[in-house]
C-alpha cells in the first residue's frame, strides 16, 4: 500500500472523487452534503492523498487547514474494489501523522448520520475521535455528526 500526494490531474482520482460526490448526494439531502468538489480540493489549504495498491487507486483522503493549529479531514473514500483491506485506517493514520508534523493541535471532521456512515463512525472512534459541536463554518445539522481529536505533538527522532 502506497500513500502519496495527488495533484488531482489523473482520471482515476477524478473518477473516485466523482463517485464520492455522487454517493454523498444519493445518501444525504443537498443542504447536508459538505463534500468538496474538485476545484475546492485544489485550494492551497488542502492536501489530498491517494492510496495505491499494486498500481490501482484504492482510496483517497484530504487534509484541509482551517486554522493555525486546526485541520479538517475531507474526502475520505475507499474504492469499492478495496473495501475492508485497511485502506481507510492506513490513510487516517497517515493524516494524523501529517497533522502532528504540521503542529496541529486539533483534527476535526464532519460525516453523515445515515446508516451508510456507520463504518466511518466506528473508524473515527477507534482512532480516538469524539463527537463534538459543529466547528469552523458548520452549523447544527440533523444529518451531520461532528468529530474532533486533540493531537499530541509529534517529536521527530
Amino acid at each position: 500500500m502506497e500513500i502519496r500526494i495527488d495533484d488531482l490531474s489523473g482520471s482515476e482520482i477524478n473518477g473516485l472523487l466523482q463517485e464520492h460526490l455522487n454517493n454523498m448526494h444519493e445518501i444525504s439531502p443537498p443542504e447536508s452534503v459538505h463534500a468538496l468538489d474538485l476545484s475546492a480540493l485544489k485550494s492551497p489549504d488542502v492536501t489530498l492523498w491517494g492510496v495505491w495498491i499494486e498500481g490501482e487507486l484504492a482510496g483517497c483522503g484530504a487534509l484541509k487547514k482551517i486554522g493555525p493549529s486546526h485541520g479538517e479531514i475531507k474526502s475520505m473514500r475507499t474504492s469499492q474494489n478495496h473495501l475492508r483491506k485497511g485502506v481507510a485506517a492506513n490513510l487516517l493514520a497517515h493524516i494524523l501523522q501529517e497533522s502532528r508534523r504540521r503542529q496541529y493541535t486539533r483534527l476535526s471532521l464532519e460525516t453523515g448520520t445515515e446508516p451508510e456512515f456507520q463504518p466511518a463512525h466506528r473508524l473515527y472512534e477507534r482512532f480516538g475521535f469524539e463527537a463534538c459541536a459543529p466547528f469552523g463554518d458548520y452549523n447544527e445539522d440533523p444529518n451531520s455528526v461532528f468529530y474532533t481529536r486533540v493531537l499530541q505533538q509529534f517529536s521527530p527522532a
Side-chain angles (χ1 to χ4, degrees):
M1 195 173 299
E2 180 187 1
I3 299 172
R4 62 181 188 242
I5 292 176
D6 197 295
D7 67 4
L8 301 165
S9 64
S11 60
E12 299 95 340
I13 193 67
N14 283 286
L16 184 60
L17 289 167
Q18 190 59 56
E19 175 187 313
H20 178 63
L21 279 173
N22 292 346
N23 188 236
M24 295 302 98
H25 283 282
E26 290 168 3
I27 296 170
S28 301
E31 68 276 8
S32 297
V33 174
H34 302 288
L36 299 178
D37 65 15
L38 195 58
S39 65
L41 287 168
K42 289 181 178 179
S43 169
D45 62 347
V46 177
T47 304
L48 184 125
W49 291 270
V51 180
W52 296 83
I53 299 175
E54 298 178 3
E56 188 176 335
L57 182 62
C60 65
L63 177 59
K64 179 181 180 184
K65 181 178 182 175
I66 58 173
S69 60
H70 193 179
E72 179 183 5
I73 296 172
K74 300 295 292 182
S75 302
M76 286 284 288
R77 183 69 175 197
T78 301
S79 163
Q80 291 295 321
N81 296 336
H82 293 282
L83 294 173
R84 286 171 277 296
K85 294 182 181 178
V87 171
N90 279 290
L91 183 55
L92 184 53
H94 180 85
I95 291 172
L96 282 162
Q97 182 179 1
E98 177 62 18
S99 297
R100 287 185 193 99
R101 191 194 67 73
R102 294 180 185 189
Q103 299 185 344
Y104 292 167
T105 57
R106 181 170 299 279
L107 187 59
S108 302
L109 63 103
E110 178 276 338
T111 191
T113 59
E114 292 80 3
E116 293 88 345
F117 292 102
Q118 290 308 308
H121 294 194
R122 288 191 298 272
L123 173 71
Y124 295 127
E125 290 166 3
R126 191 172 87 227
F127 274 78
F129 285 83
E130 298 178 347
C132 67
F135 59 89
D137 295 333
Y138 291 104
N139 296 310
E140 285 290 339
D141 181 343
N143 299 296
S144 289
V145 176
F146 303 95
Y147 283 100
T148 196
R149 179 179 163 176
V150 173
L151 301 176
Q152 302 300 319
Q153 288 306 298
F154 178 73
S155 301

